[in-house]
Amino acid sequence: MFLKNLTLINYKNFDSKELEFDHKINCFVGANGIGKTNILDAIYHLCFGKSYFNPLATQNVRHGAEFFVIEGLFEKNERAEKIVCSFKKGSKKIIKKNGKTYDKLSDHIGFLPLVIVSPADRDLIIAGSDTRRKLIDSVISQSDKAYLQELIKYNKVLVQRNSLLKYFAANQTFDMGTLSVYNEQLHQYGTTIFEKRALFLETFIPIFKEQYQKIAGDSEAVSLGYESKMLQDPLALLLEKNQERDRALQYTSVGIHKDDLSFTIAGHPIKKFGSQGQQKSFLIALKFAQFQFIKEQAKTTPILLLDDIFDKLDAQRVSHIVSLVNDENFGQLFISDTHADRTEEVVKKIHQSYKIYKL
């Protein structure tokens, strides 16, 4: 699968831009703030129906404009697939595949598998647990439609249960019968999600460790751990145990929406004990493992976006990354960098056809 061309209208800093791509490697070089990352984000937007960096659609409209349009022509399984994503202020975002509008944006997820590696990924280490849950959910959802639907249903029931808890507190009342209905639904959807997350990590963690070793060498032992209260008790029991606490807090304090991933190096949290280079290698390994997992599950080679990843990495780690993408395991690659010479030197080592765009 690859992206043949891209057209942008009023997207971020671009009023109008058309690009034709090489089927293997495409590099965007230029000073900071010129729009390199915005092009990568437009590609991400076409694949996921949203921006990687600015989830609010209005923030992706060029200043002074009222709408944006992103159009891409992909080739998948030797068939042309035209995707158009458009948004007008005051209206809902629309995604069309070959001229037909999706009923639900979630139906598009997984059709065009893609993995992005970006400096913004550092949030996976330093930010809250919701960022790490989104990573798990994003990877599983690209190859499992049922998982995404279960997650949507779970979150809908969670909002309803939280509203009910607030209603109880505001009106000094309580109805166990109504609460039980929500508990039962949360247990049903939550159990399926928990089991799929646990199964996913069982497969994913060895792939991740292998990728890290390839990037950083064998000397550094890294791992991921799944943190969930459902490892001890079923969700129905957890909700029962925490009922009084939830009533006091006026929200649901237990469930798969509280799960987390632990990131460790030599048995210690990488957030506190990992160097900048180790943290960056950890994150790149996470994303390369995501790439391998999705490729295997979806039976399609995802597009890979590398946003400014050569900065702050030593030459040895850069050469390891180059060797990883220098084979037929990888398909189309998009790279952004501030140094044109460095980029060209890197891509020449990959021994594939390439295009360099100086913005």
Side-chain angles (χ1 to χ4, degrees):
M1 184 189 87
F2 66 95
L3 176 61
K4 298 174 86 168
N5 57 56
L6 177 73
T7 302
L8 306 176
I9 300 170
N10 294 332
Y11 187 72
K12 298 195 175 182
N13 68 316
F14 295 104
D15 55 355
S16 179
K17 187 79 174 173
E18 288 187 34
L19 294 157
E20 297 280 336
F21 296 128
D22 186 272
H23 75 292
K24 290 306 288 184
I25 302 171
N26 299 274
C27 309
F28 306 101
V29 295
N32 286 325
I34 209 159
K36 304 182 301 295
T37 298
N38 291 345
I39 293 173
L40 298 191
D41 200 26
I43 298 168
Y44 183 94
H45 214 131
L46 284 174
C47 296
F48 286 90
K50 63 181 180 180
S51 161
Y52 187 68
F53 303 98
N54 304 94
L56 289 175
T58 50
Q59 293 179 359
N60 298 300
V61 179
R62 187 174 63 88
H63 184 66
E66 290 297 310
F67 70 95
F68 73 71
V69 178
I70 314 167
E71 184 179 302
L73 182 64
F74 294 80
E75 187 172 306
K76 183 182 179 186
N77 300 328
E78 299 181 355
R79 178 181 163 171
E81 303 285 1
K82 185 180 178 182
I83 307 296
V84 179
C85 181
S86 60
F87 171 77
K88 185 179 180 181
K89 289 179 180 177
S91 303
K92 289 177 73 174
K93 187 184 289 179
I94 295 170
I95 298 182
K96 292 181 180 179
K97 180 175 81 171
N98 300 324
K100 188 178 178 183
T101 304
Y102 281 100
D103 293 330
K104 295 181 292 184
L105 296 184
S106 60
D107 291 341
H108 182 59
I109 305 301
F111 178 65
L112 300 169
L114 175 144
V115 173
I116 182 170
V117 186
S118 160
D121 296 336
R122 189 154 187 270
D123 285 352
L124 287 165
I125 290 174
I126 63 172
S129 60
D130 60 319
T131 310
R132 290 178 287 278
R133 279 194 305 277
K134 280 176 188 171
L135 173 72
I136 303 175
D137 295 338
S138 169
V139 182
I140 302 173
S141 295
Q142 285 196 67
S143 56
D144 187 341
K145 287 279 185 188
Y147 178 87
L148 183 57
Q149 294 309 314
E150 295 283 332
L151 196 60
I152 290 168
K153 288 173 187 172
Y154 178 92
N155 287 327
K156 188 177 177 182
V157 175
L158 181 65
V159 169
Q160 291 169 335
R161 187 180 192 269
N162 289 345
S163 296
L164 184 66
L165 291 167
K166 286 184 176 67
Y167 174 83
F168 287 159
N171 294 276
Q172 296 183 327
T173 185
F174 181 69
D175 179 359
M176 189 62 220
T178 313
L179 191 67
S180 295
V181 172
Y182 291 132
N183 288 359
E184 192 178 316
Q185 290 178 329
L186 281 185
H187 174 75
Q188 179 192 334
Y189 300 136
T191 301
T192 304
I193 292 162
F194 166 75
E195 287 171 352
K196 287 191 175 183
R197 282 179 179 174
L199 199 62
F200 157 69
L201 286 165
E202 208 174 285
T203 307
F204 184 79
I205 291 170
I207 301 171
F208 161 70
K209 287 182 176 180
E210 183 187 342
Q211 291 296 323
Y212 188 88
Q213 285 182 346
K214 286 178 179 176
I215 294 167
D218 296 336
S219 57
E220 301 163 358
V222 293
S223 194
L224 306 174
Y226 186 25
E227 297 182 352
S228 175
K229 288 188 176 179
M230 288 182 69
L231 289 164
Q232 282 79 46
D233 292 313
L235 185 50
L237 182 59
L238 289 169
L239 290 167
E240 189 183 317
K241 282 182 177 178
N242 288 272
Q243 182 177 291
E244 292 308 312
R245 183 167 181 255
D246 287 359
R247 286 182 66 186
L249 293 169
Q250 297 176 41
Y251 66 82
T252 308
S253 61
V254 289
I256 56 100
H257 61 289
K258 294 291 183 181
D259 289 357
D260 201 356
L261 274 181
S262 62
F263 296 165
T264 58
I265 184 162
H268 302 290
I270 196 162
K271 180 179 177 179
K272 291 181 179 177
F273 294 91
S275 68
Q276 196 173 46
Q278 286 171 328
Q279 288 185 6
K280 196 151 192 178
S281 295
F282 192 100
L283 292 169
I284 293 168
L286 259 183
K287 293 305 189 80
F288 277 25
Q290 179 182 340
F291 181 96
Q292 296 295 350
F293 179 87
I294 292 168
K295 183 184 177 185
E296 201 171 293
Q297 297 295 316
K299 309 300 181 198
T300 302
T301 305
I303 290 171
L304 181 63
L305 310 179
L306 302 179
D307 180 26
D308 196 26
I309 71 160
F310 300 123
D311 202 32
K312 298 185 180 70
L313 279 182
D314 56 56
Q316 183 187 359
R317 289 177 203 246
V318 170
S319 68
H320 276 303
I321 291 166
V322 170
S323 68
L324 285 177
V325 298
N326 192 15
D327 59 36
E328 289 306 312
N329 286 329
F330 284 84
Q332 194 177 27
L333 188 63
F334 292 87
I335 298 170
S336 73
D337 196 8
T338 48
H339 299 83
D341 294 342
R342 173 173 66 186
T343 306
E344 188 143 21
E345 188 182 329
V346 166
V347 296
K348 277 181 178 175
K349 292 176 184 173
I350 302 176
H351 306 300
Q352 298 281 4
S353 61
Y354 67 88
K355 268 188 182 181
I356 292 185
Y357 307 84
K358 294 184 178 177
L359 301 180

